[in-house]
Amino acid sequence: MTTININGQRITVDDSFLSLSPEEQNKAVDEILQQFPKPAGAVDKSFKGAFLPISKDADGNRNWFDTDAGFIGAIKRAVMLPGDVYSGKVQMNGLDGRTSPEAIGRSLEFASTFIPGSPALHAGEQVIPGVTSTLRTPKMIEPPSAADLFAEALRNAKTMRDSGVDFASDAVKGMAEAAKGKLDEEGLPAGLAGKTHQILDELANPPPVSVADIKGLYSARETFKNIKKVSDGNEQSAASKAIRGLDEFITADDPAAVVAGPGSDAAQALKAGNANEAAAMRSQKLTELSDSAKSGANAGKTTRQRLSNLLLDEKQTAAFSPEELKLLRAVNEGNIASNSTRAVGNLLDGGRAAGAGLLGLAGAVASGFPKIGATVTSLPLVGTISRNLSNALTERALQQVERGVRRRSPLYQSRLESAPKEAVYPWRMDALVRALLLSRQQQEDGKPWI
């Protein structure tokens, strides 16, 4: 250890102090002096601007343009850091062997200058970039349940009903007459779909000098929906077509048809309600395909059979998008993992011919070759495990498609847009700071890490 005299005080330092250059020794002395208590009555008035290049010395004398202060000083120190580290002017380690505060501070300044960050970081305040620059909207969230979608569809319908829109009676009359004519053309006249035609007749014969409000159209639409539930096939088909024609009329938002109220609001509410309800119904349909609780060991086979029947039904597939149908066909066809595990399960299942034959072979050779017999005896268990794995893979693939169906809804999009933003960790800045700190750290053999 070595003892030195600083302002009349004897300070003991490490012997490595003597190996420092005069400039480094003076710098170390200055660091030690900063730790001494200041004389009574002395006030340090020094100041360096965090953003503006303004500073004061210890006596309070102002320097209106100090290139070592503010954002200019931060940029200057950042640009000079690599050279200062190389020349030894900036020591990565202090006398105690730990990373020096100057090295940490200068590294942060360097990172904030050459990596985009907040103004506070560029000004040398050494803070993490602003919250807004480290947050982002998540790319995906948990989709709403089918029950949530049905509830949202009802809320959308109520919004449409309460929108206060009025339509010209002549426009509604024209829509109803066009719907009746289309039903006649498609073989659904009043004789086969009398209930639907009756409601359309009422819409086509409004009172003189009147308007048709949105509540009346909503009531007619609900009546058509009830006809679909309790009537025969002809009435169901006619009511579905009538609903489609009525929806097209409302969502068209034709200025010539709307005489009062926000027609666009009613149109948007109806579109959202139809889309949310359709997503819920598609989700329900796919959920019903899976019945692993009842099917047991044949769950995967039952699911694929039901899915195959759905894909062959044009009426049911019309509700799905081309992308969804492509994914459903992929589930039905299976992939390498599900198909190979299913094949192994079918081959080694003890209840099948191949499995029974293997068990017979095991019994025949067990006496002379017990190890072979024991191996063959365990094959049915392997088959059962493999078959269960195939079932799980099929069910999981179908569940993924079903979750995607629920994401294809206005409710999901609105929830995604309003979802809390997630923090993004500044990996590039962190890596740069770590690299700078390690650049002068030494390994056990005395060589630098970088």
Side-chain angles (χ1 to χ4, degrees):
M1 304 298 286
T2 302
T3 302
I4 60 176
N5 190 311
I6 302 178
N7 292 346
Q9 298 190 45
R10 299 176 64 82
I11 305 298
T12 301
V13 297
D14 190 84
D15 290 338
S16 60
F17 179 83
L18 300 177
S19 62
L20 299 176
S21 66
E23 184 180 7
E24 293 172 341
Q25 289 181 352
N26 292 334
K27 188 174 181 180
V29 170
D30 290 339
E31 292 179 359
I32 296 173
L33 283 174
Q34 292 178 3
Q35 301 176 12
F36 287 175
K38 296 181 179 179
V43 178
D44 187 359
K45 300 180 181 180
S46 62
F47 164 79
K48 282 186 178 293
F51 184 75
L52 297 176
I54 300 174
S55 66
K56 291 181 181 180
D57 59 18
D59 297 327
N61 299 316
R62 189 184 299 272
N63 184 349
W64 291 101
F65 188 76
D66 186 354
T67 58
D68 291 329
F71 71 94
I72 295 179
I75 296 175
K76 177 181 175 181
R77 288 189 294 273
V79 172
M80 296 177 62
L81 178 60
D84 290 345
V85 172
Y86 182 78
S87 64
K89 186 176 180 179
V90 174
Q91 293 294 322
M92 297 301 295
N93 299 325
L95 295 176
D96 57 359
R98 309 173 81 176
T99 304
S100 67
E102 181 184 14
I104 296 175
R106 293 284 297 273
S107 298
L108 287 173
E109 283 183 333
F110 184 92
S112 67
T113 300
F114 293 101
I115 296 179
S118 67
L121 186 59
H122 283 278
E125 293 183 14
Q126 300 175 0
V127 296
I128 295 175
V131 174
T132 57
S133 65
T134 61
L135 297 179
R136 69 179 177 190
T137 301
K139 296 181 179 179
M140 189 177 295
I141 60 174
E142 181 68 18
S145 64
D148 290 340
L149 290 170
F150 278 123
E152 182 67 8
L154 291 176
R155 191 190 69 79
N156 296 141
K158 185 177 184 300
T159 300
M160 179 196 70
R161 184 194 65 190
D162 298 338
S163 61
V165 179
D166 290 331
F167 297 91
S169 295
D170 289 342
V172 176
K173 178 181 178 179
M175 177 273 297
E177 290 178 343
K180 284 173 58 65
K182 190 172 184 180
L183 290 179
D184 290 337
E185 291 177 0
E186 296 183 2
L188 293 170
L192 294 178
K195 295 179 181 179
T196 301
H197 277 268
Q198 180 182 353
I199 303 302
L200 290 174
D201 285 337
E202 294 177 3
L203 293 175
N205 294 279
V209 191
S210 64
V211 295
D213 62 16
I214 189 68
K215 290 186 177 180
L217 298 184
Y218 172 82
S219 177
R221 191 174 186 274
E222 290 298 302
T223 302
F224 289 138
K225 291 172 68 175
N226 289 330
I227 292 174
K228 287 177 58 180
K229 295 177 182 177
V230 299
S231 299
D232 60 14
N234 291 328
E235 284 283 14
Q236 291 175 354
S237 179
S240 296
K241 296 179 185 299
I243 291 175
R244 190 177 304 116
L246 186 56
D247 287 355
E248 290 175 356
F249 174 77
I250 297 174
T251 57
D253 189 23
D254 185 359
V258 178
V259 297
S264 59
D265 291 351
Q268 292 300 321
L270 179 56
K271 289 179 181 178
N274 285 342
N276 284 322
E277 184 178 19
M281 294 180 68
R282 295 198 308 275
S283 170
Q284 251 185 6
K285 193 180 298 293
L286 295 183
T287 302
E288 291 171 355
L289 296 178
S290 175
D291 194 7
S292 56
K294 294 182 180 179
S295 302
N298 295 318
K301 180 180 179 180
T302 302
T303 298
R304 289 190 302 275
Q305 184 61 51
R306 293 176 178 177
L307 180 55
S308 179
N309 293 337
L310 182 148
L311 293 172
L312 294 174
D313 189 336
E314 294 183 0
K315 185 177 180 180
Q316 294 194 70
T317 56
F320 294 88
S321 69
E323 294 78 11
E324 291 170 346
L325 290 175
K326 182 178 180 181
L327 293 173
L328 290 175
R329 293 189 182 96
V331 174
N332 190 46
E333 295 170 1
N335 53 29
I336 295 177
S338 61
N339 291 337
S340 58
T341 51
R342 182 169 68 253
V344 172
N346 292 338
L347 176 64
L348 300 182
D349 183 359
R352 296 181 180 273
L358 290 173
L359 286 175
L361 176 63
V365 302
S367 57
F369 303 94
K371 291 185 178 180
I372 297 178
T375 301
V376 177
T377 304
S378 66
L379 291 179
L381 176 60
V382 175
T384 300
I385 295 174
S386 183
R387 183 184 56 197
N388 291 339
L389 178 58
S390 176
N391 292 341
L393 291 173
T394 300
E395 298 296 330
R396 181 179 299 177
L398 182 61
Q399 289 172 5
Q400 290 177 348
V401 178
E402 187 272 331
R403 288 168 66 85
V405 163
R406 287 185 278 126
R407 289 192 179 96
R408 186 179 158 224
S409 64
L411 178 58
Y412 174 78
Q413 291 300 324
S414 64
R415 287 187 176 183
L416 181 62
E417 292 171 1
S418 60
K421 293 187 176 181
E422 57 186 14
V424 181
Y425 188 80
W427 297 107
R428 290 185 301 171
M429 180 183 295
D430 179 74
L432 179 57
V433 173
R434 289 176 181 271
L436 288 171
L437 293 177
L438 287 172
S439 63
R440 298 296 292 179
Q441 294 280 1
Q442 293 184 348
Q443 304 182 60
E444 294 182 359
D445 57 1
K447 297 181 179 179
W449 285 95
I450 300 177

